[in-house]
């Protein structure tokens, strides 16, 4: 199901407002976030700003190609940095700021790629059901209001939490921690709100196209077993460079000239790469299991290949879990 006209209108309106606010903030004269005690979160703000820009631009549906999205964002960052040299703004071109913007854009693009369709007919039918629930939920103005409120509350709650956690470090940076807390809190809270709205849409809607989502749910134990290998492997990959990185930065002095919040951005890029790999790999394994759910029960594993079907649907004789036949 495609996005409704109302949903597209909202995404495009949000993008335009966001882009205007971004350009105003980028070109404000003599803007300086540094304080006497702590360096400002300038690089972290660039990362978050362009990551959000990339996401909103993708959701407008004006851009359908990830490659084109990357080219546009690369050029956008370059344009913003070059125009900061306009006389009177008292701003300067910063390669570090540009790199931070590119990292933010790349993080969003990696998660877009990690979220692309996987699996065969049954898992893709489930994805279509989730997409339909997503679009139907966002076709209602009340859900948009709920997302805005939940995102704001999440940001308000998580900002002080991250600042407090930062205070336990030997070299705290409350400004940077607060910015990251705002982004994490807003993202988690609005995401949870969106999932709740989608679930309500699936449960309350009489639409038969949601039947594939109601036909059988994977047990938590099997879900955890499917993501166990990707998570462990990705954690190992994540841990491998930690020791040499600490040695290089702490003892050898590599990256000593790089701003501290820029090093955090590099960490986030690496974490984003591994997380995207883990997400895509886990989704592939889960999709493969759902694609076999018409042969062995998704709940108990019982052989259901010879179960009699009615209108393309059947029920496991062992545990009673319903299932659908591919193509039905």
């Amino acid at each position: 199901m495609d996005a409704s006209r109302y949903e597209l209108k909202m995404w495009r309106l949000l993008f335009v407002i966001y882009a205007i606010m971004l350009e105003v903030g980028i070109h404000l004269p003599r803007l300086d976030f540094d304080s006497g005690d702590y360096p400002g979160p300038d690089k972290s703000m660039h990362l978050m700003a362009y990551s959000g820009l990339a996401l909103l631009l993708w959701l407008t549906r004006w851009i359908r190609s990830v490659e084109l999205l990357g080219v546009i964002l690369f050029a956008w960052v370059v344009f913003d940095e070059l125009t900061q040299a306009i006389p009177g703004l008292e701003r300067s071109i910063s390669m570090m700021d540009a790199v931070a913007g590119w990292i933010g854009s790349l993080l969003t693009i990696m998660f877009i790629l990690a979220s692309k369709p996987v699996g065969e007919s049954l898992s893709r039918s489930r994805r279509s059901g989730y997409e339909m629930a997503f679009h139907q939920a966002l076709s209602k103005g009340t859900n948009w209001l709920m997302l805005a409120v939940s995102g704001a509350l999440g940001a308000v709650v998580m900002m002080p939490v991250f600042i407090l956690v930062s205070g336990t470090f030997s070299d705290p940076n409350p400004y940077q921690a607060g910015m990251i807390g705002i982004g994490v809190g807003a993202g988690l809270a609005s995401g949870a709100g969106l999932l709740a709205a989608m679930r309500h849409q699936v449960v309350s809607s009489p639409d038969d196209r949601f039947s594939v989502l109601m036909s059988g749910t994977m047990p938590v134990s099997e879900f955890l077993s499917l993501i166990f290998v990707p998570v462990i492997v990705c954690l190992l990959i994540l841990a491998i460079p930690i020791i040499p990185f600490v040695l290089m930065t702490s003892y050898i002095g590599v990256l000593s000239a790089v701003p501290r919040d820029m090093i955090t951005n590099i960490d986030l890029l690496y974490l984003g790469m591994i997380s995207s790999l883990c997400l895509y790999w886990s989704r592939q394994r889960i999709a493969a299991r759902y694609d076999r759910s018409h042969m062995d029960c998704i709940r108990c594993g019982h052989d259901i290949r010879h179960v009699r079907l009615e209108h393309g649907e059947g029920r496991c004789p062992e545990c009673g879990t319903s299932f659908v036949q591919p193509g039905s």
Side-chain angles (χ1 to χ4, degrees):
M1 176 182 176
D2 291 331
S4 66
R5 294 179 63 182
Y6 177 80
E7 180 191 345
L8 285 178
K9 180 180 178 180
M10 290 298 296
W11 284 128
R12 291 168 181 177
L13 178 62
L14 281 175
F15 170 75
V16 171
I17 294 173
Y18 186 95
I20 292 173
M21 293 176 62
L22 174 64
E23 293 307 305
V24 170
I26 287 289
H27 297 94
L28 280 176
R30 292 181 292 181
L31 187 63
D32 187 6
F33 291 100
D34 288 336
S35 67
D37 299 324
Y38 305 103
D42 185 46
K43 307 300 180 291
S44 299
M45 292 179 67
H46 274 75
L47 181 146
M48 294 173 61
Y50 287 100
S51 179
L53 183 73
L55 179 61
L56 288 176
L57 180 55
W58 181 254
L59 291 172
T60 62
R61 300 289 184 92
W62 284 331
I63 307 296
R64 296 299 185 100
S65 165
V66 176
E67 293 80 5
L68 180 58
L69 178 67
V71 171
I72 290 174
L73 289 166
F74 180 88
W76 196 312
V77 173
V78 172
F79 172 81
D80 280 347
E81 283 304 314
L82 292 179
T83 52
Q84 290 192 57
I86 295 175
L89 294 181
E90 299 185 31
R91 304 287 294 268
S92 59
I93 298 174
S94 170
M95 188 62 186
M96 289 293 181
D97 287 351
V99 171
W102 291 330
I103 289 175
S105 304
L106 184 58
L107 285 173
T108 297
I109 289 173
M110 286 191 297
F111 278 98
I112 290 173
L113 291 173
S115 302
K116 69 179 184 179
V118 294
E120 303 299 332
S121 58
L122 280 179
S123 55
R124 289 182 180 245
S125 295
R126 292 183 65 85
R127 178 186 174 90
S128 297
Y130 285 121
E131 288 180 345
M132 183 168 62
F134 175 84
H135 294 313
Q136 288 187 7
L138 292 181
S139 65
K140 301 176 181 178
T142 52
N143 286 335
W144 283 93
L145 179 60
M146 179 269 294
L147 292 180
V149 172
S150 59
L153 290 175
V156 169
V157 170
M158 294 303 292
M159 181 180 68
V161 171
F162 272 65
I163 292 175
L164 289 174
V165 172
S166 172
T168 63
F169 298 156
S170 59
D171 191 16
N173 188 337
Y175 296 135
Q176 181 180 352
M179 286 298 303
I180 296 175
I182 289 173
V184 171
L188 290 178
S190 57
L194 179 58
L195 288 176
M198 290 170 59
R199 178 176 176 80
H200 175 74
Q201 194 67 38
V202 171
V203 173
S204 62
S205 175
D207 198 320
D208 292 337
R209 289 174 293 179
F210 286 133
S211 60
V212 67
L213 301 180
M214 307 293 289
S215 61
T217 305
M218 184 181 298
V220 175
S221 58
E222 183 162 7
F223 173 81
L224 293 176
S225 68
L226 289 172
I227 69 171
F228 178 78
V229 172
V231 169
I232 293 300
V233 171
C234 289
L235 285 175
L236 290 174
I237 296 174
L238 191 64
I240 287 172
I242 289 180
I243 294 178
F245 183 79
V246 170
L247 290 175
M248 286 191 300
T249 55
S250 301
Y251 298 100
I252 304 176
V254 177
L255 302 179
S256 59
V258 178
R260 187 169 57 181
D261 59 340
M262 189 64 201
I263 294 178
T264 301
N265 288 353
I266 296 172
D267 295 339
L268 290 174
L269 174 61
Y270 183 62
L271 178 62
M273 292 171 59
I274 304 304
S275 300
S276 299
L277 171 64
C278 182
L279 174 63
Y280 184 68
W281 188 4
S282 298
R283 291 182 62 243
Q284 281 188 317
R285 289 168 61 87
I286 293 170
R289 178 62 186 93
Y290 272 116
D291 285 329
R292 299 196 313 271
S293 62
H294 66 291
M295 295 187 293
D296 47 279
C297 178
I298 195 73
R299 276 278 174 186
C300 65
H302 185 74
D303 188 346
I304 53 177
R305 286 175 292 181
H306 304 295
V307 172
R308 185 176 179 179
L309 303 177
E310 292 185 10
H311 307 294
E313 297 185 10
R315 192 170 292 276
C316 174
E318 189 72 17
C319 67
T321 300
S322 60
F323 65 93
V324 296
Q325 189 73 13
S328 60

